[in-house]
Amino acid sequence: MAKPVVIVNFKAYREVDGKGANALAEACAAVAAETGANIIAVPPAVELGSIARSVKIPVFAQNVDPYAPGSATGWITPSMVKGCGAAGALINHSEHPTQHRFIEECVKLCKGCDLTTVICANDVKSAVKYAAAHPDYIAVEPPELIGGDISVTTANPKIVEDTVEAVRAANHSVSVLCGAGVKTGEDVRTAIDLGARGVLLASGVVKAKDPAGALRDLVRYI
Ligand code: G3P
């Protein structure tokens, strides 16, 4: 079975303005090299290319828009994400929702560029709906737990188990991740025990005093 993934969404925290994003991506890469863990960095769009070109771990975009190359000023096309060296993209994060009718198009355009896709879902019902778009991953994240101190794996383990079961039934080729409040190695281990193939997290690493230390703790059981 493939190694669990730990996806670190840098979001737009002040800590990752400018050089901060680079330093965090380097910490992700260093811990991945040291532990063999499958860590993916998700920097802000303005730093995507420089980070994707400089670190040896996969780098994903925080968002893509449903446009092919052409007249699409200011939008982020899957083609430009691929072109700058990134390996995948989040789609429909709860802080950057994509209209439902465009989600499938985003996945299609990403697949056409050989980008890995992670669709975020707030609940089991939307996770099942998005599984029909054939992403590589669906990340279930209850919005009310995002950025908080209690991990979804503690506050609502049922949503993780139910999403794993429902998505497996709907589309066996889609893997489920979970996120919101994930901060420790125990949280990650519980996520895996609940059937998730990894985690999507942010504040536990981005806002940590020692991001590399936080990452080492997060990956210690996987
Ligand atoms: O994309 C990750 C996310 O929304 C969870 O954030 O800070 O609760 O780990 P956080």
mmCIF file with all atom_site columns, all heavy atoms in Angstrom, residues 135-154:
data_model
loop_
_atom_site.group_PDB
_atom_site.id
_atom_site.type_symbol
_atom_site.label_atom_id
_atom_site.label_alt_id
_atom_site.label_comp_id
_atom_site.label_asym_id
_atom_site.label_entity_id
_atom_site.label_seq_id
_atom_site.pdbx_PDB_ins_code
_atom_site.Cartn_x
_atom_site.Cartn_y
_atom_site.Cartn_z
_atom_site.occupancy
_atom_site.B_iso_or_equiv
_atom_site.pdbx_formal_charge
_atom_site.auth_seq_id
_atom_site.auth_comp_id
_atom_site.auth_asym_id
_atom_site.auth_atom_id
_atom_site.pdbx_PDB_model_num
ATOM 1   N N   . PRO A 1 135 ? -11.384 12.476 -8.754 1.00 0.00 ? 135 PRO A N   1
ATOM 2   C CA  . PRO A 1 135 ? -10.102 13.038 -8.315 1.00 0.00 ? 135 PRO A CA  1
ATOM 3   C C   . PRO A 1 135 ? -9.218  11.911 -7.780 1.00 0.00 ? 135 PRO A C   1
ATOM 4   O O   . PRO A 1 135 ? -9.687  10.784 -7.602 1.00 0.00 ? 135 PRO A O   1
ATOM 5   C CB  . PRO A 1 135 ? -10.522 13.957 -7.160 1.00 0.00 ? 135 PRO A CB  1
ATOM 6   C CG  . PRO A 1 135 ? -11.717 13.253 -6.572 1.00 0.00 ? 135 PRO A CG  1
ATOM 7   C CD  . PRO A 1 135 ? -12.441 12.626 -7.742 1.00 0.00 ? 135 PRO A CD  1
ATOM 8   N N   . ASP A 1 136 ? -7.957  12.220 -7.518 1.00 0.00 ? 136 ASP A N   1
ATOM 9   C CA  . ASP A 1 136 ? -7.107  11.231 -6.861 1.00 0.00 ? 136 ASP A CA  1
ATOM 10  C C   . ASP A 1 136 ? -7.491  11.110 -5.387 1.00 0.00 ? 136 ASP A C   1
ATOM 11  O O   . ASP A 1 136 ? -7.513  10.014 -4.834 1.00 0.00 ? 136 ASP A O   1
ATOM 12  C CB  . ASP A 1 136 ? -5.633  11.646 -6.980 1.00 0.00 ? 136 ASP A CB  1
ATOM 13  C CG  . ASP A 1 136 ? -5.204  11.680 -8.432 1.00 0.00 ? 136 ASP A CG  1
ATOM 14  O OD1 . ASP A 1 136 ? -5.016  10.599 -9.000 1.00 0.00 ? 136 ASP A OD1 1
ATOM 15  O OD2 . ASP A 1 136 ? -5.114  12.781 -9.023 1.00 0.00 ? 136 ASP A OD2 1
ATOM 16  N N   . TYR A 1 137 ? -7.759  12.249 -4.769 1.00 0.00 ? 137 TYR A N   1
ATOM 17  C CA  . TYR A 1 137 ? -8.089  12.273 -3.335 1.00 0.00 ? 137 TYR A CA  1
ATOM 18  C C   . TYR A 1 137 ? -9.303  13.153 -3.079 1.00 0.00 ? 137 TYR A C   1
ATOM 19  O O   . TYR A 1 137 ? -9.515  14.147 -3.782 1.00 0.00 ? 137 TYR A O   1
ATOM 20  C CB  . TYR A 1 137 ? -6.949  12.885 -2.518 1.00 0.00 ? 137 TYR A CB  1
ATOM 21  C CG  . TYR A 1 137 ? -5.657  12.113 -2.538 1.00 0.00 ? 137 TYR A CG  1
ATOM 22  C CD1 . TYR A 1 137 ? -4.629  12.484 -3.407 1.00 0.00 ? 137 TYR A CD1 1
ATOM 23  C CD2 . TYR A 1 137 ? -5.440  11.046 -1.675 1.00 0.00 ? 137 TYR A CD2 1
ATOM 24  C CE1 . TYR A 1 137 ? -3.423  11.793 -3.411 1.00 0.00 ? 137 TYR A CE1 1
ATOM 25  C CE2 . TYR A 1 137 ? -4.232  10.356 -1.671 1.00 0.00 ? 137 TYR A CE2 1
ATOM 26  C CZ  . TYR A 1 137 ? -3.231  10.732 -2.543 1.00 0.00 ? 137 TYR A CZ  1
ATOM 27  O OH  . TYR A 1 137 ? -2.040  10.051 -2.550 1.00 0.00 ? 137 TYR A OH  1
ATOM 28  N N   . ILE A 1 138 ? -10.025 12.787 -2.019 1.00 0.00 ? 138 ILE A N   1
ATOM 29  C CA  . ILE A 1 138 ? -11.002 13.705 -1.440 1.00 0.00 ? 138 ILE A CA  1
ATOM 30  C C   . ILE A 1 138 ? -10.567 13.935 -0.002 1.00 0.00 ? 138 ILE A C   1
ATOM 31  O O   . ILE A 1 138 ? -10.271 12.978 0.723  1.00 0.00 ? 138 ILE A O   1
ATOM 32  C CB  . ILE A 1 138 ? -12.417 13.122 -1.502 1.00 0.00 ? 138 ILE A CB  1
ATOM 33  C CG1 . ILE A 1 138 ? -12.869 13.170 -2.950 1.00 0.00 ? 138 ILE A CG1 1
ATOM 34  C CG2 . ILE A 1 138 ? -13.365 13.892 -0.578 1.00 0.00 ? 138 ILE A CG2 1
ATOM 35  C CD1 . ILE A 1 138 ? -14.278 12.864 -3.213 1.00 0.00 ? 138 ILE A CD1 1
ATOM 36  N N   . ALA A 1 139 ? -10.486 15.199 0.394  1.00 0.00 ? 139 ALA A N   1
ATOM 37  C CA  . ALA A 1 139 ? -10.097 15.519 1.770  1.00 0.00 ? 139 ALA A CA  1
ATOM 38  C C   . ALA A 1 139 ? -11.319 16.039 2.504  1.00 0.00 ? 139 ALA A C   1
ATOM 39  O O   . ALA A 1 139 ? -11.849 17.101 2.157  1.00 0.00 ? 139 ALA A O   1
ATOM 40  C CB  . ALA A 1 139 ? -8.994  16.570 1.770  1.00 0.00 ? 139 ALA A CB  1
ATOM 41  N N   . VAL A 1 140 ? -11.775 15.288 3.507  1.00 0.00 ? 140 VAL A N   1
ATOM 42  C CA  . VAL A 1 140 ? -12.942 15.738 4.247  1.00 0.00 ? 140 VAL A CA  1
ATOM 43  C C   . VAL A 1 140 ? -12.463 16.600 5.422  1.00 0.00 ? 140 VAL A C   1
ATOM 44  O O   . VAL A 1 140 ? -11.590 16.207 6.191  1.00 0.00 ? 140 VAL A O   1
ATOM 45  C CB  . VAL A 1 140 ? -13.825 14.545 4.697  1.00 0.00 ? 140 VAL A CB  1
ATOM 46  C CG1 . VAL A 1 140 ? -13.118 13.617 5.674  1.00 0.00 ? 140 VAL A CG1 1
ATOM 47  C CG2 . VAL A 1 140 ? -15.136 15.050 5.290  1.00 0.00 ? 140 VAL A CG2 1
ATOM 48  N N   . GLU A 1 141 ? -13.031 17.814 5.489  1.00 0.00 ? 141 GLU A N   1
ATOM 49  C CA  . GLU A 1 141 ? -12.614 18.783 6.506  1.00 0.00 ? 141 GLU A CA  1
ATOM 50  C C   . GLU A 1 141 ? -13.848 19.531 7.016  1.00 0.00 ? 141 GLU A C   1
ATOM 51  O O   . GLU A 1 141 ? -14.346 20.423 6.311  1.00 0.00 ? 141 GLU A O   1
ATOM 52  C CB  . GLU A 1 141 ? -11.673 19.832 5.914  1.00 0.00 ? 141 GLU A CB  1
ATOM 53  C CG  . GLU A 1 141 ? -10.393 19.324 5.350  1.00 0.00 ? 141 GLU A CG  1
ATOM 54  C CD  . GLU A 1 141 ? -9.363  20.440 5.194  1.00 0.00 ? 141 GLU A CD  1
ATOM 55  O OE1 . GLU A 1 141 ? -9.708  21.522 4.674  1.00 0.00 ? 141 GLU A OE1 1
ATOM 56  O OE2 . GLU A 1 141 ? -8.240  20.225 5.610  1.00 0.00 ? 141 GLU A OE2 1
ATOM 57  N N   . PRO A 1 142 ? -14.335 19.197 8.218  1.00 0.00 ? 142 PRO A N   1
ATOM 58  C CA  . PRO A 1 142 ? -15.464 19.980 8.744  1.00 0.00 ? 142 PRO A CA  1
ATOM 59  C C   . PRO A 1 142 ? -15.012 21.417 8.999  1.00 0.00 ? 142 PRO A C   1
ATOM 60  O O   . PRO A 1 142 ? -14.098 21.648 9.791  1.00 0.00 ? 142 PRO A O   1
ATOM 61  C CB  . PRO A 1 142 ? -15.800 19.275 10.070 1.00 0.00 ? 142 PRO A CB  1
ATOM 62  C CG  . PRO A 1 142 ? -15.082 17.961 10.044 1.00 0.00 ? 142 PRO A CG  1
ATOM 63  C CD  . PRO A 1 142 ? -13.917 18.116 9.120  1.00 0.00 ? 142 PRO A CD  1
ATOM 64  N N   . PRO A 1 143 ? -15.611 22.407 8.329  1.00 0.00 ? 143 PRO A N   1
ATOM 65  C CA  . PRO A 1 143 ? -15.122 23.788 8.416  1.00 0.00 ? 143 PRO A CA  1
ATOM 66  C C   . PRO A 1 143 ? -15.036 24.317 9.842  1.00 0.00 ? 143 PRO A C   1
ATOM 67  O O   . PRO A 1 143 ? -14.148 25.086 10.164 1.00 0.00 ? 143 PRO A O   1
ATOM 68  C CB  . PRO A 1 143 ? -16.148 24.580 7.598  1.00 0.00 ? 143 PRO A CB  1
ATOM 69  C CG  . PRO A 1 143 ? -16.804 23.577 6.722  1.00 0.00 ? 143 PRO A CG  1
ATOM 70  C CD  . PRO A 1 143 ? -16.750 22.257 7.410  1.00 0.00 ? 143 PRO A CD  1
ATOM 71  N N   . GLU A 1 144 ? -15.978 23.886 10.699 1.00 0.00 ? 144 GLU A N   1
ATOM 72  C CA  . GLU A 1 144 ? -15.980 24.438 12.069 1.00 0.00 ? 144 GLU A CA  1
ATOM 73  C C   . GLU A 1 144 ? -14.769 23.996 12.889 1.00 0.00 ? 144 GLU A C   1
ATOM 74  O O   . GLU A 1 144 ? -14.466 24.573 13.922 1.00 0.00 ? 144 GLU A O   1
ATOM 75  C CB  . GLU A 1 144 ? -17.299 24.082 12.779 1.00 0.00 ? 144 GLU A CB  1
ATOM 76  C CG  . GLU A 1 144 ? -17.511 22.604 13.114 1.00 0.00 ? 144 GLU A CG  1
ATOM 77  C CD  . GLU A 1 144 ? -18.003 21.746 11.923 1.00 0.00 ? 144 GLU A CD  1
ATOM 78  O OE1 . GLU A 1 144 ? -18.065 22.259 10.779 1.00 0.00 ? 144 GLU A OE1 1
ATOM 79  O OE2 . GLU A 1 144 ? -18.309 20.556 12.166 1.00 0.00 ? 144 GLU A OE2 1
ATOM 80  N N   . LEU A 1 145 ? -14.060 22.964 12.426 1.00 0.00 ? 145 LEU A N   1
ATOM 81  C CA  . LEU A 1 145 ? -12.882 22.488 13.175 1.00 0.00 ? 145 LEU A CA  1
ATOM 82  C C   . LEU A 1 145 ? -11.570 23.010 12.587 1.00 0.00 ? 145 LEU A C   1
ATOM 83  O O   . LEU A 1 145 ? -10.492 22.834 13.168 1.00 0.00 ? 145 LEU A O   1
ATOM 84  C CB  . LEU A 1 145 ? -12.847 20.951 13.192 1.00 0.00 ? 145 LEU A CB  1
ATOM 85  C CG  . LEU A 1 145 ? -14.018 20.256 13.890 1.00 0.00 ? 145 LEU A CG  1
ATOM 86  C CD1 . LEU A 1 145 ? -13.920 18.740 13.704 1.00 0.00 ? 145 LEU A CD1 1
ATOM 87  C CD2 . LEU A 1 145 ? -14.040 20.588 15.378 1.00 0.00 ? 145 LEU A CD2 1
ATOM 88  N N   . ILE A 1 146 ? -11.668 23.651 11.414 1.00 0.00 ? 146 ILE A N   1
ATOM 89  C CA  . ILE A 1 146 ? -10.449 24.140 10.746 1.00 0.00 ? 146 ILE A CA  1
ATOM 90  C C   . ILE A 1 146 ? -9.795  25.256 11.574 1.00 0.00 ? 146 ILE A C   1
ATOM 91  O O   . ILE A 1 146 ? -10.467 26.176 12.032 1.00 0.00 ? 146 ILE A O   1
ATOM 92  C CB  . ILE A 1 146 ? -10.777 24.633 9.312  1.00 0.00 ? 146 ILE A CB  1
ATOM 93  C CG1 . ILE A 1 146 ? -11.125 23.438 8.419  1.00 0.00 ? 146 ILE A CG1 1
ATOM 94  C CG2 . ILE A 1 146 ? -9.606  25.423 8.724  1.00 0.00 ? 146 ILE A CG2 1
ATOM 95  C CD1 . ILE A 1 146 ? -11.469 23.793 6.990  1.00 0.00 ? 146 ILE A CD1 1
ATOM 96  N N   . GLY A 1 147 ? -8.497  25.115 11.762 1.00 0.00 ? 147 GLY A N   1
ATOM 97  C CA  . GLY A 1 147 ? -7.747  26.140 12.497 1.00 0.00 ? 147 GLY A CA  1
ATOM 98  C C   . GLY A 1 147 ? -7.872  26.010 14.004 1.00 0.00 ? 147 GLY A C   1
ATOM 99  O O   . GLY A 1 147 ? -7.283  26.780 14.753 1.00 0.00 ? 147 GLY A O   1
ATOM 100 N N   . GLY A 1 148 ? -8.627  25.015 14.463 1.00 0.00 ? 148 GLY A N   1
ATOM 101 C CA  . GLY A 1 148 ? -8.847  24.845 15.902 1.00 0.00 ? 148 GLY A CA  1
ATOM 102 C C   . GLY A 1 148 ? -7.823  23.914 16.530 1.00 0.00 ? 148 GLY A C   1
ATOM 103 O O   . GLY A 1 148 ? -6.909  23.415 15.865 1.00 0.00 ? 148 GLY A O   1
ATOM 104 N N   . ASP A 1 149 ? -8.013  23.677 17.838 1.00 0.00 ? 149 ASP A N   1
ATOM 105 C CA  . ASP A 1 149 ? -7.034  22.852 18.560 1.00 0.00 ? 149 ASP A CA  1
ATOM 106 C C   . ASP A 1 149 ? -7.470  21.405 18.699 1.00 0.00 ? 149 ASP A C   1
ATOM 107 O O   . ASP A 1 149 ? -6.717  20.576 19.203 1.00 0.00 ? 149 ASP A O   1
ATOM 108 C CB  . ASP A 1 149 ? -6.779  23.448 19.946 1.00 0.00 ? 149 ASP A CB  1
ATOM 109 C CG  . ASP A 1 149 ? -5.877  24.661 19.824 1.00 0.00 ? 149 ASP A CG  1
ATOM 110 O OD1 . ASP A 1 149 ? -5.024  24.672 18.913 1.00 0.00 ? 149 ASP A OD1 1
ATOM 111 O OD2 . ASP A 1 149 ? -6.064  25.613 20.605 1.00 0.00 ? 149 ASP A OD2 1
ATOM 112 N N   . ILE A 1 150 ? -8.707  21.104 18.302 1.00 0.00 ? 150 ILE A N   1
ATOM 113 C CA  . ILE A 1 150 ? -9.160  19.711 18.430 1.00 0.00 ? 150 ILE A CA  1
ATOM 114 C C   . ILE A 1 150 ? -9.224  19.093 17.040 1.00 0.00 ? 150 ILE A C   1
ATOM 115 O O   . ILE A 1 150 ? -9.898  19.599 16.144 1.00 0.00 ? 150 ILE A O   1
ATOM 116 C CB  . ILE A 1 150 ? -10.535 19.623 19.110 1.00 0.00 ? 150 ILE A CB  1
ATOM 117 C CG1 . ILE A 1 150 ? -10.447 20.307 20.475 1.00 0.00 ? 150 ILE A CG1 1
ATOM 118 C CG2 . ILE A 1 150 ? -10.965 18.162 19.286 1.00 0.00 ? 150 ILE A CG2 1
ATOM 119 C CD1 . ILE A 1 150 ? -11.765 20.377 21.204 1.00 0.00 ? 150 ILE A CD1 1
ATOM 120 N N   . SER A 1 151 ? -8.495  17.990 16.903 1.00 0.00 ? 151 SER A N   1
ATOM 121 C CA  . SER A 1 151 ? -8.421  17.336 15.596 1.00 0.00 ? 151 SER A CA  1
ATOM 122 C C   . SER A 1 151 ? -9.763  16.705 15.226 1.00 0.00 ? 151 SER A C   1
ATOM 123 O O   . SER A 1 151 ? -10.481 16.178 16.084 1.00 0.00 ? 151 SER A O   1
ATOM 124 C CB  . SER A 1 151 ? -7.347  16.241 15.658 1.00 0.00 ? 151 SER A CB  1
ATOM 125 O OG  . SER A 1 151 ? -7.432  15.427 14.523 1.00 0.00 ? 151 SER A OG  1
ATOM 126 N N   . VAL A 1 152 ? -10.067 16.726 13.937 1.00 0.00 ? 152 VAL A N   1
ATOM 127 C CA  . VAL A 1 152 ? -11.260 16.033 13.444 1.00 0.00 ? 152 VAL A CA  1
ATOM 128 C C   . VAL A 1 152 ? -11.258 14.571 13.881 1.00 0.00 ? 152 VAL A C   1
ATOM 129 O O   . VAL A 1 152 ? -12.313 13.984 14.123 1.00 0.00 ? 152 VAL A O   1
ATOM 130 C CB  . VAL A 1 152 ? -11.340 16.153 11.893 1.00 0.00 ? 152 VAL A CB  1
ATOM 131 C CG1 . VAL A 1 152 ? -10.133 15.505 11.213 1.00 0.00 ? 152 VAL A CG1 1
ATOM 132 C CG2 . VAL A 1 152 ? -12.622 15.535 11.351 1.00 0.00 ? 152 VAL A CG2 1
ATOM 133 N N   . THR A 1 153 ? -10.076 14.001 14.027 1.00 0.00 ? 153 THR A N   1
ATOM 134 C CA  . THR A 1 153 ? -10.004 12.574 14.394 1.00 0.00 ? 153 THR A CA  1
ATOM 135 C C   . THR A 1 153 ? -10.461 12.342 15.831 1.00 0.00 ? 153 THR A C   1
ATOM 136 O O   . THR A 1 153 ? -10.820 11.225 16.190 1.00 0.00 ? 153 THR A O   1
ATOM 137 C CB  . THR A 1 153 ? -8.558  12.066 14.234 1.00 0.00 ? 153 THR A CB  1
ATOM 138 O OG1 . THR A 1 153 ? -7.679  12.937 14.962 1.00 0.00 ? 153 THR A OG1 1
ATOM 139 C CG2 . THR A 1 153 ? -8.135  12.033 12.778 1.00 0.00 ? 153 THR A CG2 1
ATOM 140 N N   . THR A 1 154 ? -10.460 13.394 16.648 1.00 0.00 ? 154 THR A N   1
ATOM 141 C CA  . THR A 1 154 ? -10.940 13.303 18.033 1.00 0.00 ? 154 THR A CA  1
ATOM 142 C C   . THR A 1 154 ? -12.366 13.837 18.118 1.00 0.00 ? 154 THR A C   1
ATOM 143 O O   . THR A 1 154 ? -13.238 13.239 18.731 1.00 0.00 ? 154 THR A O   1
ATOM 144 C CB  . THR A 1 154 ? -10.042 14.173 18.964 1.00 0.00 ? 154 THR A CB  1
ATOM 145 O OG1 . THR A 1 154 ? -8.707  13.746 18.809 1.00 0.00 ? 154 THR A OG1 1
ATOM 146 C CG2 . THR A 1 154 ? -10.471 14.058 20.412 1.00 0.00 ? 154 THR A CG2 1
#
